């Protein structure tokens, strides 16, 4: 992954995280930039969605854990997130993820794509309720 790609990914992640997680203060996300750059992204298997050389979205996996799926806001609801997700579903037999309960748009997206709630938990760093969701090749989208 090039430095330019890394910068694009972090920009997409930060901007979209702040917009999608309005219930978590923006400084929280900004405080995580260096961890994303130096810890999380280097350990992940990341796929980019590019068009005309510009990154519009990405998905990151750590083994069978779907760690991140983000698409630039102007490109959302155009099938890009689904394309990224379905690409990873072809690579794995099972995927697991965490989504904030208040992020209903993401929650509905994952339900529509065959994920099921496995457990409810609390994210200690934000105090927000999270849903742990799982998908496997046997799951059928609703």
């Amino acid at each position: 992954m090039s430095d330019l790609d890394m910068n694009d990914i972090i920009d997409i992640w930060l901007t979209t995280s702040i917009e999608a997680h309005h219930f978590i203060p923006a400084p929280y996300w900004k405080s995580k930039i260096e961890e994303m750059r130096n810890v999380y992204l280097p350990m992940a298997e990341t796929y980019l969605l590019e068009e005309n050389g510009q990154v519009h979205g990405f998905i990151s996996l750590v083994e069978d854990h779907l760690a991140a799926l983000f698409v630039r806001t102007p490109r959302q609801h155009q099938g890009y997130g689904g394309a990224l997700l379905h690409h990873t579903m072809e690579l794995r037999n099972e995927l697991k993820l965490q989504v904030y309960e208040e992020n209903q748009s993401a929650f509905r997206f994952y339900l529509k794509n065959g994920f099921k709630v496995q457990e409810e938990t609390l994210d200690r760093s934000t105090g927000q309720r999270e849903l742990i969701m799982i998908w496997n090749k046997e799951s059928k989208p609703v």
Side-chain angles (χ1 to χ4, degrees):
M1 176 180 328
S2 74
D3 286 343
L4 276 176
D5 289 341
M6 179 71 81
N7 290 337
D8 282 342
I9 289 169
I10 290 174
D11 178 60
I12 293 167
W13 166 79
L14 179 61
T15 303
T16 308
S17 289
I18 290 169
E19 291 171 5
H21 305 110
H22 57 86
F23 47 90
I24 297 172
Y28 171 81
W29 300 109
K30 291 176 183 173
S31 76
K32 300 295 183 185
I33 291 172
E34 290 311 307
E35 279 181 83
M36 280 294 287
R37 181 181 309 280
N38 299 315
V39 179
Y40 298 120
L41 287 170
M43 72 183 209
E45 180 182 337
T46 298
Y47 299 92
L48 305 179
L49 179 79
E50 294 180 286
E51 187 176 59
N52 299 322
Q54 184 177 9
V55 179
H56 293 295
F58 72 96
I59 191 165
S60 294
L61 301 172
V62 177
E63 297 176 4
D64 290 340
H65 183 80
L66 195 163
L69 171 55
F70 291 92
V71 175
R72 287 191 194 279
T73 304
R75 299 292 183 163
Q76 291 178 3
H77 308 290
Q78 297 177 24
Y80 292 115
L84 286 164
L85 181 60
H86 290 121
H87 173 71
T88 60
M89 289 172 152
E90 292 174 8
L91 302 174
R92 300 291 196 271
N93 290 320
E94 182 174 277
L95 291 170
K96 194 172 190 177
L97 62 86
Q98 291 146 261
V99 64
Y100 288 111
E101 185 176 58
E102 271 198 63
N103 188 350
Q104 283 294 301
S105 178
F107 174 66
R108 287 189 304 271
F109 170 79
Y110 292 121
L111 278 178
K112 183 178 101 179
N113 284 284
F115 283 80
K116 302 204 180 330
V117 175
Q118 184 180 43
E119 183 182 343
E120 294 181 22
T121 186
L122 186 69
D123 179 358
R124 291 182 189 181
S125 65
T126 63
Q128 295 293 317
R129 291 173 45 87
E130 283 185 312
L131 303 172
I132 297 172
M133 301 182 79
I134 193 163
W135 166 89
N136 61 54
K137 288 223 188 273
E138 311 302 311
S139 300
K140 301 284 186 245
V142 178

